[in-house]
């Protein structure tokens, strides 16, 4: 079955937004990835990048009156993964239905989205004050959503009292996408992730190390960790994302060059995984079961 | 006695509602609200802690003699507070941070500030706070001195909860910052207790009194930074924001010399913002007023214009 799937990085920053001229080539919005195919739209996290998906939504929905449905997969409920949601246009329409998936319990997920949309911090009054229908799903087993089968690996993290999630999305056409937006950089976490994502073709992995080994970076996977996971899973393509706000275009390019050198030294004849920096500006990446291409 | 050099108005974040990064807005910048008033003294004065505050954080090493920071908070919506948990100065020894802020919905700023650091929401390890923190409650119409030299006067503007505009004077340098503000016309009463006040005086009388007081607050202030989030075509009054037309009307009545338009909508690209200034300048020139777009990292000496 031939199916085209599109991946768009709307937000590639971790911690906080970093709009800057120094980040023009990569981007400055906080986490959001859109994965869509003909009949479905899935978002990974709802950082400020999710607002960049809104123009597409307006174009598509204004012409047809039917209801809108999407899934939002939350890897975590840190501010940088949730603060964009009040500005995501569909949430303001009764005809919208948002499925919220995470490894946290429904109460934990609701509490997070209530915190985000608190009356003290926004003009809204908690997640239930938005007109859209929002359903919460706490994943313990693989979940069918449209044609996709979505699996989650619960992850513990010292900064969260709830389980975080790594994701694997499988489509009947053979499309297989693994996503790690946050994880501790210890060897046990990396081994677990590699096991969960083994055989995935397209891997999107956090590389949140900063220019210095600061306290922020010590709780996140680095570029080297991401490469390690990519090698262990046997992924064909590895997209680095969740960049530290201080990692400018130049520093990110330099990291990519360094990793290419490491990969070269490891003498991988087939040169996989192919390494890419996720960027907000590059356009949509098309993935189908037999080939991959980048469309500008 | 030698006069002090004029204070410098520094824009670190000029975007409203939320930070936004696109290749098409990098001229004016995508960071949310943060303004600095640099008096050249050994302390820093900041207005709001939107994502633009990262410029102040990243420049921490530039002024090692500055060991005190005064942060005037206009209100606690995300675009004005989201960088506070990342303020690295919190971890500086022998450093003082003074927050001057109104309550919101009966909750103190100190309590709201604490919520920003909630376990499970903060994407970084909780800072090891070594700086001395001071929380000063600012009430509407409050007047106080910073460091005994900088006079600050507050004014409650028409926006959710208690949102304060600030008039700041340091020697001959005077600037007023009017953050998120909506027209109060037609019963659009958004500010905390505005509806109750209107009930007792009558809506029309309250609106007139508010508008007169706003003009009085800005009277002859040479430099005013004013919310121009919307334009006449896309104005949603109940969202709590103004337009260039509203800003110019208020400022021309107050005989303001230089109007800085800021809180640019995240949807506006550089071309939109530039056009906004061009259209506004045509009207403002008749009122002997200069209209300038606030732009990230621009600096303006606070002369009498």
């Amino acid at each position: 079955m031939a199916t085209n799937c599109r991946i768009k990085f709307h937000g590639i920053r971790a911690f906080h937004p970093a709009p800057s001229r120094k980040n023009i080539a990569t981007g400055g919005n906080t986490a959001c990835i859109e994965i869509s195919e003909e009949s479905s739209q899935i978002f990974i996290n709802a950082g400020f990048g999710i607002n960049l998906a809104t123009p597409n939504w307006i174009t598509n929905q204004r012409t047809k009156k039917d209801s809108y449905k999407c899934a939002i997969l939350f890897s975590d409920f840190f501010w940088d993964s949730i603060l964009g949601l009040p500005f995501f246009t569909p949430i303001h329409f009764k005809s919208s239905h948002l499925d919220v998936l995470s490894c946290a319990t429904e109460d934990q997920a609701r509490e997070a989205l209530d915190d985000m949309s608190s009356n003290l911090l926004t003009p809204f009054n908690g997640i239930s004050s938005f007109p859209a229908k929002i359903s919460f799903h706490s994943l313990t087993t693989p979940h069918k959503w449209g044609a996709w089968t979505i699996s989650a690996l619960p992850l513990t993290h010292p900064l969260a009292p709830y389980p975080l999630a790594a994701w694997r999305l499988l489509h009947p056409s053979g499309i297989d996408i693994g996503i790690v937006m946050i994880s501790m950089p210890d060897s046990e976490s990396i081994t677990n992730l590699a096991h969960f994502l083994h055989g995935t073709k397209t891997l999107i992995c956090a590389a949140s190390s900063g220019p210095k080994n600061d306290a922020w970076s010590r709780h996140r996977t680095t570029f080297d960790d991401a490469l390690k996971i990519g090698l262990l899973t046997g992924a064909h393509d590895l997209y680095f994302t969740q960049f530290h706000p201080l990692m400018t275009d130049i520093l990110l390019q330099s990291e990519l060059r360094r990793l290419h050198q490491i990969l070269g030294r490891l003498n991988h004849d087939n040169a996989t995984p192919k390494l890419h920096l996720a960027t907000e500006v590059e356009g949509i990446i098309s993935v189908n079961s037999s080939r991959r291409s980048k469309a500008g | 006695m030698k006069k002090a050099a004029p204070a410098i108005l520094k824009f670190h974040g000029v975007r409203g509602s939320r930070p936004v990064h696109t290749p098409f807005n990098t001229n004016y910048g995508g960071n949310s609200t943060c303004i600095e008033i640099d008096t050249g003294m050994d302390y820093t004065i900041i207005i709001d802690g939107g994502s633009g505050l990262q410029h102040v954080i990243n420049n921490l090493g530039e002024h090692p003699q500055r060991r005190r920071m005064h942060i005037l908070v206009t209100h606690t919506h995300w675009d004005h507070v989201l960088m506070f948990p990342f303020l690295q100065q919190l971890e500086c020894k022998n450093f003082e941070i003074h927050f001057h802020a109104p309550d919101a919905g009966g909750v103190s700023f100190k309590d709201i500030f604490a919520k920003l650091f909630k376990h499970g929401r903060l994407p970084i390890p909780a800072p090891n706070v070594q700086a001395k923190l001071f929380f000063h409650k600012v009430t509407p119409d409050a007047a106080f001195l910073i460091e005994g030299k900088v006079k600050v006067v507050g004014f409650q503007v028409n926006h959710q909860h208690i949102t304060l505009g600030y008039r700041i004077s340091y020697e001959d340098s005077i600037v007023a910052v009017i953050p998120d503000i909506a027209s109060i016309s037609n019963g659009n009463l958004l500010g905390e207790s505005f509806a109750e006040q209107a009930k007792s005086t009558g809506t029309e009388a309250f609106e007139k009194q508010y508008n007169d007081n706003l003009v009085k607050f800005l009277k002859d202030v040479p430099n005013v930074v004013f919310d121009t989030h919307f334009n006449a075509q896309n104005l949603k009054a109940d969202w709590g924001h103004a337009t260039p037309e509203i800003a110019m009307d208020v400022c021309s009545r107050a005989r303001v010399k230089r109007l800085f338009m800021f809180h640019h909508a995240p949807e506006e690209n550089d071309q939109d913002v530039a056009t906004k200034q061009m259209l506004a300048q045509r009207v403002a020139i008749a009122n002997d007023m200069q209209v300038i777009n606030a732009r990230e990292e621009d600096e303006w000496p606070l002369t009498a214009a």
Side-chain angles (χ1 to χ4, degrees):
Chain A
M1 186 163 63
T3 301
N4 262 321
C5 164
R6 298 173 303 280
I7 301 174
K8 177 85 181 82
F9 293 96
H10 293 296
I12 50 91
R13 294 282 161 186
F15 307 118
H16 62 72
S20 166
R21 292 186 188 112
K22 292 176 185 166
N23 300 334
I24 286 181
T26 48
N29 297 296
T30 46
C32 180
I33 304 169
E34 179 184 347
I35 296 174
S36 52
E37 46 101 42
E38 204 172 305
S39 59
S40 69
Q41 197 173 22
I42 295 172
F43 294 95
I44 318 297
N45 290 352
F48 285 115
I50 199 168
N51 307 293
L52 302 185
T54 291
N56 300 341
W57 180 84
I58 291 172
T59 310
N60 293 337
Q61 294 304 122
R62 270 199 182 152
T63 51
K64 46 180 187 177
K65 295 274 184 225
D66 36 322
S67 59
Y68 169 79
K69 191 169 180 172
C70 72
I72 305 180
L73 281 51
F74 284 99
S75 61
D76 59 83
F77 291 100
F78 295 126
W79 297 131
D80 54 335
S81 300
I82 60 178
L83 282 188
L85 197 54
F87 305 99
F88 182 49
T89 307
I91 202 170
H92 298 281
F93 288 83
K94 263 188 180 169
S95 56
S96 302
H97 186 171
L98 278 54
D99 278 316
V100 168
L101 279 64
S102 73
C103 281
T105 64
E106 176 172 347
D107 284 350
Q108 288 169 328
R110 265 187 198 283
E111 183 188 341
L113 299 186
D114 276 338
D115 287 346
M116 167 276 296
S117 51
S118 150
N119 180 244
L120 300 171
L121 296 161
T122 68
F124 312 106
N125 197 9
I127 192 65
S128 56
S129 67
F130 293 95
K133 183 181 175 199
I134 300 174
S135 307
F136 290 84
H137 308 270
S138 178
L139 259 63
T140 49
T141 55
H143 182 92
K144 286 288 285 180
W145 198 87
W148 294 94
T149 302
I150 301 172
S151 304
L153 175 70
L155 301 165
T156 55
H157 196 280
L159 300 183
Y162 49 82
L164 312 186
W167 301 100
R168 189 160 185 176
L169 278 64
L170 288 167
H171 193 273
S173 65
I175 294 167
D176 181 348
I177 304 169
I179 302 156
V180 182
M181 298 296 272
I182 180 168
S183 171
M184 282 299 285
D186 57 82
S187 55
E188 193 187 339
S189 302
I190 290 173
T191 307
N192 286 344
L193 284 165
H195 183 70
F196 172 65
L197 297 168
H198 193 263
T200 194
K201 292 168 186 163
T202 305
L203 176 63
I204 298 165
C205 194
S208 305
S209 38
K212 295 171 198 161
N213 181 25
D214 57 12
W216 300 8
S217 309
R218 286 199 284 277
H219 290 76
R220 303 291 184 112
T221 47
T222 62
F223 278 89
D224 296 86
D225 297 326
L227 179 60
K228 210 178 289 175
I229 296 167
L231 288 168
L232 289 169
T233 55
H236 296 179
D237 288 276
L238 169 56
Y239 290 87
F240 299 106
T241 187
Q242 290 286 77
F243 303 128
H244 192 291
L246 291 178
M247 292 296 282
T248 59
D249 291 342
I250 290 173
L251 293 174
L252 288 169
Q253 284 297 342
S254 146
E255 272 296 273
L256 190 64
R257 275 197 299 275
R258 185 179 67 80
L259 293 175
H260 273 130
Q261 284 168 3
I262 293 174
L263 204 54
R265 280 203 295 274
L266 291 173
N267 196 22
H268 275 254
D269 294 338
N270 55 4
T272 57
K274 282 187 183 141
L275 307 182
H276 315 266
L277 292 175
T279 73
E280 293 167 13
V281 289
E282 196 161 19
I284 285 164
I285 299 151
S286 294
V287 181
N288 77 26
S289 44
S290 56
R291 66 182 171 82
R292 261 151 237 93
S293 65
K294 274 187 189 182
Chain B
M1 206 167 107
K2 199 181 158 191
K3 264 192 171 180
I8 311 288
L9 173 69
K10 297 180 175 178
F11 292 106
H12 296 303
V14 298
R15 211 44 78 164
S17 293
R18 58 183 163 87
V20 60
H21 174 97
T22 81
F24 312 108
N25 71 6
T26 53
N27 182 35
Y28 288 101
N31 280 301
S32 67
T33 309
C34 181
I35 293 171
E36 181 178 355
I37 312 293
D38 187 350
T39 61
M41 305 297 283
D42 61 348
Y43 48 85
T44 308
I45 299 175
I46 302 290
I47 300 159
D48 283 340
S51 67
L53 187 65
Q54 64 194 284
H55 292 297
V56 180
I57 296 168
N58 296 339
N59 296 340
L60 175 63
E62 280 183 13
H63 301 286
Q65 79 284 9
R66 293 187 179 172
R67 307 301 298 173
R68 298 185 303 286
M69 181 180 270
H70 292 267
I71 301 179
L72 301 165
V73 180
T74 61
H75 65 303
T76 57
H77 281 167
W78 274 120
D79 49 332
H80 298 256
V81 302
L82 74 88
M83 275 305 286
F84 285 144
F86 305 98
L87 188 60
Q88 283 170 17
Q89 284 84 340
L90 291 167
E91 299 193 328
C92 293
K93 269 185 191 167
N94 306 318
F95 201 93
E96 287 182 11
I97 305 175
H98 294 258
F99 293 95
H100 307 266
D103 291 351
V107 181
S108 72
F109 176 75
K110 189 178 178 181
D111 287 345
I112 297 169
F113 182 79
K115 285 179 195 294
L116 305 178
F117 295 80
K118 183 173 175 177
H119 183 55
R121 303 287 166 268
L122 191 61
I124 57 170
N128 174 20
V129 178
Q130 305 221 38
K132 278 188 183 170
L133 306 186
F134 300 87
F135 294 90
H136 309 278
K137 177 176 168 173
V138 183
T139 53
D141 308 320
F144 56 96
L145 283 175
I146 289 176
E147 302 278 340
K149 286 189 172 151
V150 180
K151 188 179 178 191
V152 180
V153 182
F155 180 83
Q156 185 181 2
V157 297
N158 190 35
H159 193 70
Q160 285 91 0
H161 293 306
I162 298 174
T163 298
L164 296 180
Y166 290 110
R167 190 173 68 221
I168 301 154
S169 318
Y170 171 70
E171 302 216 342
D172 291 340
S173 303
I174 307 173
V175 63
V177 176
I178 302 295
D180 311 26
I181 181 173
S183 165
I184 203 165
S185 308
N186 305 316
N188 186 37
L189 306 170
L190 303 178
E192 192 168 296
S193 84
F194 279 14
E196 291 78 8
Q197 291 179 58
K199 219 177 224 177
S200 65
T201 60
T203 303
E204 220 170 282
F206 177 73
E207 287 176 9
K208 186 182 179 316
Q209 186 190 31
Y210 167 88
N211 284 327
D212 289 348
N213 286 343
L214 177 59
V215 171
K216 200 169 144 193
F217 180 70
L218 297 177
K219 197 80 186 168
D220 295 323
V221 174
N223 305 283
V224 172
V225 181
F226 205 106
D227 169 11
T228 55
H229 187 101
F230 287 122
N231 57 50
Q233 285 72 47
N234 65 9
L235 174 64
K236 297 176 185 78
D238 60 338
W239 283 32
H241 295 289
T243 63
E245 290 77 11
I246 293 169
M248 285 192 295
D249 176 51
V250 173
C251 290
S252 61
R253 283 194 281 143
R255 294 205 299 255
V256 168
K257 288 290 178 200
R258 195 158 59 177
L259 162 63
F260 293 94
M261 301 197 292
F262 98 134
H263 208 279
H264 307 307
E267 298 79 17
E268 286 183 324
N269 61 31
D270 288 333
Q271 184 62 51
D272 297 330
V273 179
T275 304
K276 188 164 75 173
Q277 177 180 330
M278 197 179 67
L279 296 173
Q281 187 61 60
R282 280 188 200 163
V283 180
I285 209 156
N287 294 311
D288 194 23
M289 183 165 61
Q290 190 184 7
V291 179
I292 298 162
N293 273 326
R295 186 166 63 171
E296 200 167 312
E297 292 303 85
D298 268 3
E299 299 184 0
W300 293 87
L302 286 175
T303 55

